[in-house]
Every structure is written in C-alpha cells, then in structure tokens.
Amino acid sequence: MPGLGTSFGRGAMTTALWDVANADVVVFMGSNAAENHPIALKWFLRAKQKGATVICVDPRYTRTASKADWWIPFRSGTDIAVLGGLINYAITHDKIHREYVVKYTNASLLVHPDFRFDDGLFSGWNEATGKYDQATWAFQTGPDGQPLADPTLEHPQCVFQHIKRIYAPYTPEKVSEISGIPVAEFIRFAETVCATGAPGKSAVFTYAMGWTQHTKGVQNIRTATILQMLLGNIGVAGGGIAALRGHANVQGATDLAVLYHDLPGYLGQPNEGHQSLQDFLAKTTTRNSYWENKPKFLISLLKAWWGEHATAANDYCFDYLPKMATSETYSHYDIFQSILDGRVKGLVVVGQNPAVGSANARKVQAALAKLDWLVVSDLFLNETSEFWKLEGMNPAEIQTEVILLPAAGPLEKEGSFTNTHRLIQWKHKMIEPMGQAHSDGWYMVQIGKRLKQLYAGSTAAKDLPIKHLVWDYDDPNNPDEFDHLKVLKEINGYDTTTGAPVTGFGALKDDGTTACGCWIYSGIYPEEGVNKADARLRAAPNRPDGWTEARADGSADYLHLGWGFAWPANRRVIYNRASADPTGRPWSKVPLVWWNEAEAKWAGVDVPDMLPVAPDQVHALGVRGDSPFIMKPWGLGGIWGPLPDGPLPVHYEPKESPTPNLLYRKQGTIPTMKIYDSEFDVWGDPQRFPYVATTYRLTEHLTSGVMTRTLPYLAEAFPRHFCEIPRELAQLKGIRNGDWVEVESARGKVRVQAMVTNRLRPLRVGGRETYVIGLPIHWGPKSGHVQGDITNTLTPQAVDVNVQIQESKVFLADLRKVEVGG
Amino acid sequence: MNLNRRAFLKLSGVSAASAAVLLFAEEREALARDLKASRITRAREVPSVCPHCSVGCGLIGYVREGQLVQVEGNPDSPINEGSLCPKGAATMQFAYDGVGRPNPLRQLTAKIRRPGSDRWEEIGIDEALDRIAQRIKETRDAGFVEKNADGLVVNRAESIAHIGSACIDNEECYLITKLMRALGVVYLEHHARI
Ligand code: SF4
C-alpha cells in the first residue's frame, strides 16, 4: 500500500479495530464494511453508540449506508475531487490542527523553486517516455543536508502553500459539479469532518477496494492521508486510516512479499540499477529514519536464505537475488500479457482463481491456453484449472498440461494469518487433511526438495541459488507436513552461531551473525517454544455489555496487547507518538502513549511507536523525539509524497468516463496510467456505452466465489448473479425485477438478472443525468454449487502505475433486456 | 443413528451423490437431532481463525475422535467476541456439507489434464510433484536470463510465473517467496494486486 507507506512510512492500516470505538467521526468511503468486513463493523458502531457521527460516502446505498447516520451518494471515480474539496475546506476555514501540521508533517518544508503544477500536469512530465522526472519535487536542503523549512507555513515554496494553491479550485461548487453531491450537502459533510481538526478530536477514514481499484487508486488514499494529517488525526485515539484488506491473509502475503516488487518486510526487490549489496542499500535506504537499520534487515534475510554460503566476502549472496529490468514491471496483469507474448510458459497458481478474479477475464483465459504448463493447488476445481472447459475453448487445440494438487483446507493445517490491523494470529489444525490433500506449504517444501535434487549435480552459476538454499523444513513427527515452528522461527530471526531466536528486530545485526526471514515480524517467536501469535490473553471487560473500552486514565488494556502479535513490535496503533503533543503529553481525550518524565522513557496503553529518545532530543539515527513518523525522513509525515504519478493527488477522470475532466482541460485521465496492447484491450466511449458500471462484493461470498459457492449454506444464501439498476433507468429501458438483462462493455457481455433498486440514484454530473449500475463479482460458470457469468468479462485492464491494480470500480457499459424474468 | 454410521458416511468412499440417496428425510432429521444433542460432548476445543475476510475472527473447532463436530465463533476473541458472519459460520462446510458428509466438491486427489485432452486423469501425489519439479527445471533452464545486455548478473527466470495467495498462511507465503526468488522468478504475485 504505497499510499499509506508514502504518507506515514508503513503500508498498513494505521489503527486497530478496537481503537475505532474512540472516534468522533467515522467516514466510510471506498468501503462497504457491513457487507465485506461484517464483524469489523461492530467496532465502528461502538463509536456510533458512544456518540460518533457515521458517514457513508458511496455510489450505492449499501448495508453500511443503512447503518450510518448519513449516506452521501456520489459518482464512482471522483473520490479525489471530493477529498480535495475537504482539504480546501479545512484550509480556507482554518480547521487544521496547526501544531500537529507544523511539528509532525513535512508541510513546512520548502520544495524546489522550479516545482510547478499546471492544468493537470506536474513539472517534469516527459511526454515521450510517459514518465515524470521528479527532480523539481525534491526538498530544498541547507549545507548541513537538513531540509529548509518555514514553521510559519507562509513561504510560497513550502508544502503547505503548494497544497493551498493546488486545492483552491476544489470549491464546493466544483466538487458538486464533478461528483454529483449537492453543494449544501457537501458543505455539511466538510463541516462535520473538519470539526475533528481540533486537538483531542478524531475522525477515522475507512476504505477498501472502493479506493484501490482505480487507475489512481494510490492517489485516492494519499488524498485521505493528507486530509487526516492536516486535521491531526493520525496516530491519535479514534483516528487513522482503516484500510480494510480483502482476503484473510492479504496483509501477511504482502508483508512476506509474494509480490514482484518486494522482499519480505518491505526491503524492496533489487533491479538492474543495483550493482552490489552496498549499491542497493545506498540507493534504497531512507536516510534520517529508522530505515537506517535496513542493512541489518537485508543481510539477515540473505543469511536466512543462503546460510553459511552468504558471507561478507560474497556480498551475502546478493547476486543470487533476481534483478528486475528497470524498464519493466512483473505484475498480475503483466503476467498474462507476457504469456500472450510468449515469454512466460509455465504458471503456478496457489489458492487463487485468476480466470474469474482478474479484470478483462477473457484475456486471462486466452492467455492460460497459451501456456506450456499450469499447476493449480486448490481445495476445489475452478475456472482456472478448468479453463480448457470454458465456453469458446477447444480442448483438442489446447496444448497446456494442467496439474491439479488437492490442497488441505483451512481447518486442516497449522499456521498464522495476519489480519487487517496487522494482528498475527495462530490457527491450530482441527482435523487431518481430507483425502490425499496436503498443505500448500508442504507442496512447496516438496517441490523445493526435488528441485535441489535435480540441480544437485550442476556446477552452473545460475543454479547455485537453489543448491545453496537453506531448505530443511521436514517435520520430524509427520512426513506429510512441514515444520511450521521452524519456519516461524526463521521468519522471527535467530542467532546464526547459537541458533537461539532473537527477541526482536533490535537484536538483528549486519555482520552475518543473525538470520531473519521478515524483520517486521521479529519478536513473534522470541524464545524457543514461545509462539506469540498463539497468545490468547484478552483484557478483562470493563463495560456492562461485555467489552473493553478505553479509559481516560490509561488503565484499560483495550488494545488487548496479550492477544496475538501485531507487527511491528506488537504495536497496535502505529505512529501513536502523535497522540501526544511535542512535549510528550497526550492531547487526545484517551491517551495512547506519553513521555514518563520520572523514568525518562516512553510509556503507554500501547507499545510506544518511538525510539528511546526524550521529546526534546534527537536520536542518533536523525529522528527527533518530537517527530512521530519514524520510518519517514526526519520523522515527518509525508503530506508531500513523491510517487511516480505525482507528489500530490489531483482529480482525473477514470479511463472510461461519461464526462470530461472539469478541473483540468489538458489532462483528462491520469497521465501515468498503464494500459496493454493486445486484441483484448479495447475501450468504450460514452456514446456507445452510456452508463457508469461498478463492481462489488456481497456478505455471503468472497471474490471469485470458489471458497463460498462451494459451501452449501452460502451457495443457498445467495445463489444468483444480478445487476443493480436504478429505478429511473429501469423505467427508461422497460426492465423489471427478475428480467434477464445483458450488460455489455467494450470487452464483452454478461447475462444476469435485473434487480431494480432505489439503492442507486441518478446523479447530476456536469449538468447531465448520469446513471450508475452495479454488479457483484462472485460467479463463474464451472465452480461451486451455483454458477453464473463472469463479471470481470466486462472490466478493463487499465492499471495504476504504483501498484498495477485495475480500474474495476468504474467503467462504461450498456444495458438491455433480453428476456422477461420468470 | 450411531457414531459408526456417521463415521462411515464421512470416511467411506461413498460418493456424494449416493450418500444423498442413502440419507432419507427421516434419517436426516434423526442425524440432525443426534448431532445437536451430542455435538460437543467430550469434544476437544481447537482455536483457529476464519479463512475468509481480513477481520480475523476467532473460531473454535470442536473435535471428537478425529472428527470435527462443530465450528463456532470464539467467545474469547476480542475481535469477534463469539460472533461470526455468514461466511465464518459456514467454515465447517470446507470439510463437511452440513449433515456430516464430506463436502462433495473437495478435490481429494491429484489430477492431470494432458495436452489436447478434454478430461482429467488421476495421478499420484508423488508423481505429480516429480512432474512439477521437472517442468519447472526444464522451463527455467530454457528461458533463464543470467546476464543482461550490459553483462550484469540479473538471474531472472522470466519464463515462469507464480500467482497466490492471500488465502494461505504466513509460513506458506514465506516458503513461496523464498523458493521462487531462489529460482529467479520475477513474475511473483498474489491477490493484493487485484
Ligand atoms: S466471520 Fe466474517 S467478518 Fe469474521 S473473519 Fe470471517 S468473513 Fe470476516
């Protein structure tokens, strides 16, 4: 999540669900938590029960909207316009938390004098390469290397003045024209949110895929982080950005870097520009922050992977790591494009169903048919393993060898998940795997062992990373499982001479005497036999209705420090240093941490997110005791946050949009957006495809439905695919509830049943009536007890430059009735 | 109905379809009554976590004689305090179908679909793993980019991609990352991107 990482230093939800109950204002925007994170909603409703105002900004009247005090419908894809309008309102009405902004963020820093923003483009844009040169986005520094700043925030080159200027056109009237939110309603919304700019008040913004699945997804999130910093709402009780992740272990799979661009613990995957370990560290280490320790974390990772073979003399086997081409990305959608291009020939898919779950699904299916081989590990048959049975496929012509491994179910194995608020919890095996099924981990161990055997006789340099790989995970008690605790210990880290686990990442070294698979998880297995993920000490309830609430005197362990283990270092609310004023006194009504003068240390209800340094001192790493974002340079929150698509978020229209950009004439869509070049990548215009379509999830199902349409209760609870259609549009089209309709985009069609509804309303956009229709994504034609057409047949592969996520929350479609429902 | 009868249904090779025929309505009722009355007697409690969304609700599995008899929300979990949403409440059906039979859709054996074929064939687990390792090696060796145009060592196995998963455990994810990177795989992804 580079949106959060760029602003605060860590790509993760900033708070814990338990702390949400302390909020004064809860904003759901890009999240339908009631439906997609149903039990999490309880904590937001506890805030409401304690007097918070709950607002749901969503194109649809969702189950979350039904629980909110207030629903604000708007046009999908205009989030930055709305949030930019809030930023403008906070600044023009002087609602910002000034001391927080000046001391805790980079708002006062001076930007390069040549920085410009003009009609939708930042300085440095290169039309030929389609990229920004970020030189003019840098901070000005003095001869001592320290940044130049103006704490009065008046200097015309300071960050604050830039945002003031850039968001000035985001007036309530302009926001209304773009988003469809009436002016008076927008102003009331702005008033409510900006009232939390006062010290001791807080708002939490909650998002999920509604913000990420856009060509400017990262910038959607960035806009909220800027607003929240201006209001002083990050790291304080009841504040934060609640990023509600999708699957059970998205956070963990991301932390452990099953992702092309990263190594475990966010160390980054090296590219061709990195010639040596030293070069990589020099170029990628964030100075004047806790990241100064990166060499310890990376060298410990290399020790964990290549053991005794990794020595100081050979750069700890840094050469063994694959180096990305600087000009390429290797993301989900690049994989399918590269299969079509003939570069990728073999694909391993574990617990995922890209033939249904990926945008432009027909392209993905066509790519699968081009593979030499495909391995799928899953509990169930799905459209990926059985792509050759899909409509339009001729098996006789498909040369792909497909091997299916039966995966052990979630109740059939030991292991840990990391939940949405970074909480790692251990799961115990309830029953033995069914049939011949084995865990995916065991399969990996076995495949690795076989590869080591196959390469045992090789002397080629390219095979040494496998030959030398530390790969000894057999469970001495069970040949059909791997040794989970051994893996956990490696993730935690250990002393390479004694073999004893390290107690935390503070103990890691850059001299090869420690090994560690994922430094941020360090502390999870602090001594032999102690698994903190398996800790289950819940705080005593202190409310008559049975839950544990924060107390003003800091006496209640409402963050349940004894339940599971949260990275980093068991902190529950990250950046919690910001909950205290610069001198270390809590300014929130509920304290999180404080400077204990008598004992000269940080103390708190939470584990303090601060280095051991007094508020008026500077730590040796360059982080000051009064600056809370220790992973960012100088500990300052990144209101200014250079990313490949800009240092600040500004409004652009989606790739497929019914209206031109009403703020910037020259630049309609985000200039850095990536699209692909294949026969499947085709685009619709508003004349041919007049309606805005959006996609979403339901409580009863999960993504492609392979884990839910296969369970009889859930298949029965929500058996059929449908399209939500606003009543007014249905009338225009002569469509009634239950009729079969065809929804078509430039990329394909689906046949689903009509659900005529008031939950979607016509919006007035750019002076015209605009209709939004909605489709859930959970059906496929082959898997499960109930089937349906694949919604992703319609969605485009237009992706965000930062994370290569697709724009499936908004695209253009047409709609027609094909059969009367019965 | 006695336990042996249920155990038979769960463990025997009886296919789902024929099991459905064997269970007449009265039998189902009796089974349901029986399960309810005795479900968690002398059962061992096994804590786990819901495998669906990222909230991380605690589960308790009740296990008796190696059989899972019930899954409930864990009342001790400070996250869900015992409650579960419909998805969490259905987790037992990953194993059983609600009346004690194995979920008929679960894949219990390894399979292979050969080039040009229109059907699956059964294959042993060991044979499948051997085959996978061979194919990875052969594809890796054929498409390996050891050095780039400038002669710099880049160690990229560009001809192989791996996808998944955010549905599996941290320990499993770690093993995937470690093995794939050691092979030189650059096309490495999971759900976070979609
Ligand atoms: S029970 Fe529902 S809310 Fe809880 S983790 Fe499972 S899917 Fe999510």
Side-chain angles (χ1 to χ4, degrees):
Chain A
M1 286 193 276
L4 297 174
T6 302
S7 300
F8 308 136
R10 303 182 183 106
M13 172 157 157
T14 70
T15 182
L17 291 169
W18 303 302
D19 185 61
V20 163
N22 293 320
D24 298 293
V25 174
V26 173
V27 179
F28 289 99
M29 191 166 172
S31 156
N32 174 13
E35 197 129 16
N36 300 328
H37 303 89
I39 302 299
L41 191 77
K42 166 171 57 183
W43 297 96
F44 296 92
L45 294 181
R46 282 181 180 167
K48 187 179 177 193
Q49 189 184 336
K50 292 173 71 175
T53 306
V54 179
I55 304 166
C56 177
V57 188
D58 198 299
R60 284 190 309 138
Y61 184 80
T62 61
R63 288 182 185 171
T64 306
S66 79
K67 290 288 184 187
D69 292 296
W70 186 8
W71 171 52
I72 305 177
F74 80 120
R75 175 167 63 102
S76 184
T78 62
D79 306 72
I80 293 174
V82 176
L83 295 163
L86 297 179
I87 291 173
N88 180 46
Y89 191 92
I91 293 174
T92 52
H93 292 78
D94 198 20
K95 300 285 190 185
I96 66 169
H97 184 169
R98 186 166 279 266
E99 195 177 5
Y100 187 107
V101 171
V102 172
K103 286 281 193 177
Y104 293 174
T105 78
N106 62 18
S108 68
L109 270 46
L110 306 192
V111 179
H112 195 291
D114 293 340
F115 170 77
R116 296 285 179 280
F117 175 71
D118 183 29
D119 206 13
L121 284 177
F122 299 96
S123 46
W125 177 247
N126 183 331
E127 191 66 48
T129 59
K131 283 187 179 142
Y132 278 111
D133 173 349
Q134 303 185 11
T136 58
W137 308 353
F139 292 126
Q140 302 178 32
T141 48
D144 57 354
Q146 294 303 302
L148 302 183
D150 174 17
T152 70
L153 305 181
E154 294 299 332
H155 194 292
Q157 288 163 5
C158 82
V159 167
F160 184 76
Q161 291 299 322
H162 283 305
I163 58 172
K164 187 172 171 182
R165 211 166 29 245
I166 285 175
Y167 295 109
Y170 291 60
T171 59
E173 293 71 26
K174 192 52 98 180
V175 170
S176 173
E177 211 187 332
I178 295 171
S179 68
I181 302 173
V183 172
E185 183 154 26
F186 176 77
I187 291 176
R188 201 174 127 220
F189 176 38
E191 275 292 331
T192 312
V193 171
C194 294
T196 64
K201 292 272 178 203
S202 58
V204 60
F205 272 75
T206 308
Y207 79 86
M209 304 302 147
W211 269 358
T212 58
Q213 292 175 345
H214 295 272
T215 47
K216 52 210 190 262
V218 167
Q219 297 294 0
N220 284 337
I221 298 153
R222 279 273 299 142
T223 329
T225 67
I226 292 171
L227 176 69
Q228 284 288 66
M229 281 189 274
L230 290 174
L231 299 173
N233 280 342
I234 299 296
V236 305
I241 306 264
L244 297 180
R245 320 278 335 231
H247 294 77
N249 202 32
V250 183
Q251 187 65 50
T254 305
D255 299 337
L256 294 154
V258 188
L259 288 172
Y260 83 85
H261 70 285
D262 227 335
L263 287 174
Y266 305 95
L267 297 175
Q269 181 69 22
N271 64 40
E272 292 172 347
H274 304 125
Q275 309 263 342
S276 65
L277 176 64
Q278 287 317 316
D279 187 42
F280 174 69
L281 288 170
K283 287 176 176 157
T284 63
T285 302
T286 307
R287 297 289 164 207
N288 299 298
S289 81
Y290 194 73
W291 274 121
E292 298 266 7
N293 290 302
K294 183 169 173 175
K296 300 173 186 168
F297 310 147
L298 181 61
I299 289 168
S300 295
L301 176 78
L302 295 169
K303 285 299 288 182
W305 287 11
W306 288 294
E308 59 184 15
H309 299 282
T311 63
N314 69 4
D315 251 6
Y316 298 99
C317 297
F318 179 75
D319 254 5
Y320 285 8
L321 291 172
K323 309 289 182 301
M324 301 184 289
T326 41
S327 54
E328 292 202 56
T329 53
Y330 304 91
S331 78
H332 188 84
Y333 293 110
D334 294 320
I335 289 176
F336 296 100
Q337 182 67 46
S338 297
I339 297 171
L340 287 174
D341 293 344
R343 182 196 251 185
V344 172
K345 299 190 182 304
L347 173 65
V348 182
V349 178
V350 174
Q352 211 166 322
N353 187 15
V356 173
S358 311
N360 205 347
R362 286 196 315 139
K363 176 179 175 181
V364 170
Q365 295 154 14
L368 293 173
K370 293 261 179 323
L371 285 166
D372 286 352
W373 53 266
L374 167 68
V375 173
V376 178
S377 176
D378 210 293
L379 310 181
F380 304 103
L381 286 171
N382 63 31
E383 289 75 7
T384 300
S385 61
E386 296 206 297
F387 76 89
W388 41 281
K389 290 185 178 176
L390 292 173
E391 202 186 317
M393 294 281 174
N394 178 359
E397 285 173 4
I398 297 169
Q399 294 307 307
T400 316
E401 176 177 291
V402 188
I403 299 176
L404 182 66
L405 294 171
L411 311 180
E412 298 155 27
K413 57 189 184 185
E414 295 280 310
S416 66
F417 278 161
T418 305
N419 89 340
T420 194
H421 64 219
R422 299 165 282 102
L423 186 76
I424 308 159
Q425 301 183 95
W426 196 260
K427 308 172 291 132
H428 287 284
K429 182 200 273 190
M430 296 183 187
I431 48 172
E432 291 302 319
M434 300 178 75
Q436 295 175 29
H438 287 81
S439 67
D440 298 298
W442 185 82
Y443 287 136
M444 273 305 136
V445 170
Q446 296 304 316
I447 292 167
K449 282 172 71 171
R450 282 164 168 78
L451 282 162
K452 279 176 84 76
Q453 267 164 18
L454 290 174
Y455 281 112
S458 168
T459 51
K462 79 176 215 315
D463 301 332
L464 295 181
I466 303 165
K467 286 182 69 172
H468 292 165
L469 190 67
V470 177
W471 199 255
D472 174 19
Y473 301 113
D474 285 345
D475 182 342
N477 303 316
N478 184 356
D480 289 314
E481 258 308 346
F482 67 99
D483 188 339
H484 298 86
L485 290 180
K486 194 164 182 188
V487 179
L488 187 71
K489 177 175 155 184
E490 182 174 324
I491 289 173
N492 172 81
Y494 57 89
D495 184 312
T496 53
T497 41
T498 66
V502 297
T503 50
F505 48 74
L508 296 174
K509 306 237 175 60
D510 58 6
D511 59 3
T513 59
T514 56
C516 177
C518 183
W519 74 274
I520 56 174
Y521 280 38
S522 206
I524 195 169
Y525 193 78
E527 52 186 287
E528 214 61 74
V530 177
N531 177 358
K532 289 265 181 100
D534 202 17
R536 286 189 170 78
L537 278 176
R538 177 190 176 171
N542 61 8
R543 280 183 59 111
D545 46 357
W547 55 287
T548 316
E549 161 180 74
R551 289 286 148 91
D553 60 1
S555 63
D557 174 26
Y558 75 101
L559 297 167
H560 303 283
L561 295 181
W563 188 272
F565 180 84
W567 73 260
N570 208 25
R571 291 169 184 135
R572 307 290 158 128
V573 177
I574 43 180
Y575 322 116
N576 58 32
R577 163 67 182 89
S579 69
D581 71 13
T583 69
R585 278 189 302 262
W587 52 26
S588 42
K589 58 191 180 255
V590 178
L592 283 173
V593 303
W594 53 88
W595 176 252
N596 182 328
E597 199 69 63
E599 293 178 35
K601 62 173 199 186
W602 289 98
V605 185
D606 197 359
V607 178
D609 191 2
M610 194 54 204
L611 303 176
V613 57
D616 56 355
Q617 302 285 308
V618 183
H619 189 269
L621 294 175
V623 176
R624 292 152 32 144
D626 63 356
S627 49
F629 297 93
I630 61 172
M631 307 309 287
K632 295 290 295 174
W634 311 292
L636 299 175
I639 285 184
W640 187 263
L643 281 168
D645 45 7
L648 292 171
V650 292
H651 167 72
Y652 299 107
E653 285 295 328
K655 167 69 179 147
E656 288 186 342
S657 163
T659 174
N661 192 331
L662 299 174
L663 271 161
Y664 312 114
R665 280 163 303 125
K666 262 196 270 170
Q667 196 57 47
T669 55
I670 191 161
T672 50
M673 160 178 51
K674 178 169 175 181
I675 54 174
Y676 293 87
D677 187 15
S678 82
E679 60 182 297
F680 301 95
D681 292 286
V682 286
W683 309 98
D685 61 61
Q687 282 70 46
R688 170 70 184 84
F689 300 100
Y691 310 119
V692 175
T694 190
T695 62
Y696 50 88
R697 284 172 41 194
L698 305 164
T699 308
E700 292 78 5
H701 292 296
L702 198 76
T703 47
S704 78
V706 171
M707 280 172 72
T708 52
R709 286 183 290 108
T710 47
L711 310 187
Y713 291 163
L714 299 174
E716 192 176 338
F718 224 128
R720 297 249 202 125
H721 199 345
F722 61 92
C723 173
E724 276 188 272
I725 303 166
R727 197 167 293 284
E728 296 79 356
L729 177 60
Q731 254 160 21
L732 268 173
K733 295 268 183 184
I735 296 168
R736 296 199 310 185
N737 260 334
D739 285 349
W740 286 93
V741 295
E742 202 170 71
V743 181
E744 184 177 7
S745 80
R747 294 152 294 276
K749 299 175 195 178
V750 295
R751 196 181 129 100
V752 292
Q753 281 189 289
M755 183 187 281
V756 179
T757 178
N758 281 338
R759 287 186 294 269
L760 284 162
R761 294 190 184 158
L763 295 166
R764 198 89 196 139
V765 175
R768 281 196 306 135
E769 213 71 351
T770 300
Y771 296 103
V772 182
I773 61 174
L775 298 104
I777 55 167
H778 304 298
W779 283 270
K782 293 283 165 213
S783 54
H785 290 290
V786 291
Q787 286 97 23
D789 279 3
I790 300 172
T791 297
N792 273 319
T793 304
L794 307 172
T795 53
Q797 290 185 6
V799 305
D800 177 305
V801 66
N802 297 287
V803 293
Q804 280 86 37
I805 203 166
Q806 79 286 344
E807 191 152 73
S808 42
K809 281 290 179 261
V810 45
F811 54 93
L812 292 176
D814 195 8
L815 170 75
R816 66 188 183 99
K817 178 156 115 180
V818 288
E819 195 186 321
V820 174
Chain B
M1 287 277 290
N2 58 38
L3 181 69
N4 291 339
R5 165 74 166 156
R6 286 208 308 279
F8 165 75
L9 284 172
K10 283 172 198 159
L11 298 174
S12 70
V14 177
S15 76
S18 50
V21 175
L22 287 171
L23 279 170
F24 296 103
E26 295 140 56
E27 252 184 315
R28 276 176 184 257
E29 270 170 40
L31 174 61
R33 255 201 320 276
D34 180 31
L35 280 173
K36 199 162 188 173
S38 60
R39 223 158 19 187
I40 62 169
T41 317
R42 292 184 308 281
R44 189 165 56 90
E45 291 188 14
V46 184
S48 186
V49 175
C50 174
H52 287 288
C53 91
S54 65
V55 175
C57 295
L59 301 176
I60 293 276
Y62 293 89
V63 180
R64 202 175 51 199
E65 294 167 30
Q67 296 288 303
L68 183 62
V69 289
Q70 175 73 348
V71 177
E72 303 263 5
N74 184 352
D76 292 332
S77 165
I79 296 174
N80 56 318
E81 300 168 331
S83 56
L84 293 174
C85 84
K87 287 193 293 294
T91 44
M92 185 161 153
Q93 294 194 327
F94 279 114
Y96 308 122
D97 72 351
V99 284
R101 295 167 312 194
N103 182 321
L105 299 181
R106 278 289 296 271
Q107 286 308 301
L108 302 179
T109 54
K111 292 182 171 50
I112 185 165
R113 179 264 177 196
R114 311 229 182 243
S117 168
D118 61 358
R119 60 187 183 87
W120 290 109
E121 292 167 38
E122 296 287 321
I123 177 176
I125 297 281
D126 269 334
E127 197 187 340
L129 292 168
D130 286 344
R131 180 95 189 129
I132 292 166
Q134 264 161 19
R135 300 232 61 179
I136 289 177
K137 178 173 189 299
E138 140 205 327
T139 305
R140 176 181 183 268
D141 291 350
F144 200 80
V145 182
E146 195 168 345
K147 291 184 179 166
N148 67 4
D150 303 330
L152 190 78
V153 176
V154 295
N155 277 342
R156 288 197 295 264
E158 291 180 352
S159 45
I160 300 171
H162 176 104
I163 293 180
S165 159
C167 301
I168 62 173
D169 301 343
N170 286 319
E171 297 71 27
E172 300 179 309
C173 288
Y174 177 73
L175 292 172
I176 288 172
T177 303
K178 184 173 176 179
L179 182 61
M180 290 300 150
R181 291 310 195 182
L183 286 167
V185 169
V186 277
Y187 289 104
L188 177 62
E189 288 285 84
H190 75 86
H191 289 97
R193 202 82 70 181
I194 57 168

